[in-house]
């Protein structure tokens, strides 16, 4: 990622190697604040309160959280307790369990004296792997975008995205944004319609921040504007990330994704989902079996901006954080192994 003109990852170890350093995404785009996490409890809080977010990055943060727990107490009981604590932080994203299981499996056969170092090494490897996966997703997506742009070479390629599936949701590059960045760098004229993504506005706050930092032309739109733009022929493709894809190909992603997929289907606009293999969940049959996180009503009743938040309704609110897009609405799944039309 480009931050203040320099390439950085969204997570890494602290200088002493015993903690994790993350961007506090609650402060973006107004402030760039790095936070050091020093325990499993702090990692759990950062995930639960969305200091850090995005399925792959949640997994990486949890992996470091488990390593920090083992640095304090490397017993089986401590390993199991930290695993359970971190797993409960966010129930929907499957990468969380995958990363925790990967660390636990790596250390469980080892003596207690070797567990912490092995856990940190596995967490480092998870981060490196995520970067490589996202680069591969971007490379395959670049070829897809070349083909799409060739259909209308006289104008920019117009892409619509929902929520934030960029480097702020991963260790680097992002999933849905990786092909956007690579296409821009390759000289393909790309313009991105950025859904604001109520209620937390991850699009308006985070995706727009990312794209601006990379120099990618973009326009923030109200969530309800996407269908209109598709009907007007101003969207060439929709690309989103996902927190979980079930065995039948259903896509669980930020609330509002389903409506974009419906509009895309009705207007003949291709709808792509970008994800690494770690986000596939063959153990869950369909989207109906995915636990949907219900977050605080205050995220709906209040809007955060520079300087604080204000209340925008006197009524109560419901706040489901995710919805399910049926596989029948998905044109293709963009993975590190290429574009596939079904799982």
């Amino acid at each position: 990622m480009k931050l203040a003109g320099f390439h950085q990852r969204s997570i890494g170890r602290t200088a002493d190697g015993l903690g994790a350093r993350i961007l506090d995404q609650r402060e973006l785009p107004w402030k760039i604040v790095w936070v050091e996490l020093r325990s499993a409890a702090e990692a759990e809080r950062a995930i639960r309160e969305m200091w850090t977010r995005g399925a792959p990055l949640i997994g990486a943060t949890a992996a470091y959280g488990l390593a920090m727990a083992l640095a304090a107490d490397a017993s089986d009981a401590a390993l199991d307790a930290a695993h359970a604590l971190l797993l409960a932080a966010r129930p929907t994203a499957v990468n969380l369990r995958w990363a925790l299981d990967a660390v636990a499996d790596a250390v469980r056969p080892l003596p207690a004296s070797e567990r912490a170092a092995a856990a940190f090494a596995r967490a480092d490897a998870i981060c490196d792997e995520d970067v490589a996966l996202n680069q591969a997703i971007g490379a395959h997506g670049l070829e897809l975008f070349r083909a799409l742009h060739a259909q209308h070479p006289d104008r920019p390629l117009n892409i619509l995205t929902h929520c934030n599936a960029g480097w702020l949701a991963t260790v680097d590059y992002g999933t849905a944004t990786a092909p956007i960045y690579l296409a821009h760098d390759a000289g393909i004229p790309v313009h991105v319609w950025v859904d604001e993504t109520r209620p937390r506005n991850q699009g308006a706050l985070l995706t727009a921040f990312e794209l601006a930092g990379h120099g990618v032309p973009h326009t923030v739109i109200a969530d309800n504007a996407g269908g209109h733009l598709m009907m007007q022929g101003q969207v060439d493709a929709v690309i989103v990330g996902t927190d979980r894809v079930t065995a039948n190909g259903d896509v669980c992603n930020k609330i509002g994704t389903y409506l974009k997929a419906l509009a895309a289907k009705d207007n003949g606009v291709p709808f792509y989902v970008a994800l690494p293999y770690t986000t596939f969940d063959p153990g869950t049959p369909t989207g109906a079996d995915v636990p949907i996180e219900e977050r605080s009503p205050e995220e709906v009743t209040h809007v955060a901006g520079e300087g604080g938040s204000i209340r925008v309704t006197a009524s109560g609110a419901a706040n489901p954080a995710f919805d399910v897009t049926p596989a029948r609405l998905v044109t293709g799944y963009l993975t590190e192994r290429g574009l596939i039309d079904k799982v």
Side-chain angles (χ1 to χ4, degrees):
M1 67 184 187
K2 291 183 179 178
L3 191 60
F6 297 95
H7 185 268
Q8 301 185 58
R9 289 184 174 184
S10 57
I11 188 170
R13 284 213 229 177
T14 53
D16 61 7
L18 300 177
R21 181 174 178 262
I22 63 168
L23 271 173
D24 186 346
Q25 296 191 27
R26 299 171 303 169
E27 301 289 347
L28 293 173
W30 319 114
K31 298 177 184 177
I32 296 175
V33 178
W34 291 93
V35 176
E36 291 191 354
L37 306 177
R38 292 290 180 173
S39 68
E42 290 183 0
E44 186 275 338
R45 183 186 178 193
I47 294 169
R48 175 171 44 83
E49 296 184 359
M50 293 181 69
W51 305 8
T52 188
R53 38 146 301 282
L57 188 54
I58 286 172
T61 305
Y64 281 121
L66 197 54
M68 288 183 273
L70 292 171
D73 182 348
S75 67
D76 283 345
L79 172 61
D80 292 339
H83 187 289
L85 172 73
L86 290 158
L87 182 61
R90 298 288 304 274
T92 304
V94 72
N95 301 65
L96 177 59
R97 177 183 290 277
W98 176 86
L100 288 170
D101 288 349
V103 174
D105 290 347
V107 305
R108 204 174 288 279
L110 302 177
S113 61
E114 299 177 13
R115 283 182 166 181
F120 274 112
R122 187 66 184 95
D124 290 342
I126 286 171
C127 290
D128 291 340
E129 182 181 52
D130 183 67
V131 175
L133 291 173
N134 292 334
Q135 285 178 312
I137 289 170
H140 291 298
L142 172 59
E143 297 312 308
L144 172 64
F145 282 12
R146 284 191 198 278
L148 288 171
H149 182 244
Q151 297 176 14
H152 303 282
D154 57 329
R155 60 170 175 78
L157 178 66
N158 286 299
I159 302 296
L160 186 146
T161 192
H162 187 71
C163 196
N164 173 256
W167 54 254
L168 287 168
T170 65
V171 180
D172 205 351
Y173 287 95
T175 54
T177 58
I180 293 172
Y181 293 138
L182 268 62
H184 173 78
D185 292 347
I188 298 172
V190 181
H191 169 263
V192 184
W193 297 110
V194 181
D195 276 356
E196 60 181 345
T197 322
R198 284 279 292 148
R200 291 188 64 94
N201 291 331
Q202 294 100 321
L205 297 175
L206 303 180
T207 301
F209 171 77
E210 281 192 34
L211 295 172
H214 204 89
V216 178
H218 61 281
T219 306
V220 176
I221 57 172
D223 288 343
N224 291 333
H228 167 74
L229 293 171
M230 292 182 214
M231 186 177 287
Q232 297 297 312
Q234 297 186 60
V235 178
D236 295 306
V238 179
I239 185 167
V240 300
T242 178
D243 291 79
R244 187 187 305 218
V245 172
T246 58
N248 72 330
D250 289 348
V251 174
C252 187
N253 193 45
K254 181 56 58 180
I255 195 77
T257 303
Y258 174 46
L259 296 178
K260 295 302 179 297
L262 285 171
K265 185 73 170 180
D266 190 53
N267 288 280
V269 175
F271 181 92
Y272 298 105
V273 180
L275 72 159
Y277 74 90
T278 53
T279 309
F280 283 112
D281 180 19
T284 299
T286 74
D289 302 300
V290 176
I292 300 298
E293 179 181 1
E294 182 76 24
R295 294 188 58 80
S296 168
E298 189 172 317
E299 293 181 354
V300 177
T301 61
H302 291 67
V303 173
E306 187 175 14
S309 66
I310 60 170
R311 190 174 183 103
V312 294
T313 178
S315 301
N319 188 18
F322 301 88
D323 61 23
V324 174
T325 298
R328 60 183 170 80
L329 299 178
V330 178
T331 305
Y333 305 84
L334 185 60
T335 78
E336 74 279 7
R337 298 165 187 170
L339 180 67
I340 56 178
D341 59 6
K342 61 182 179 179
V343 300

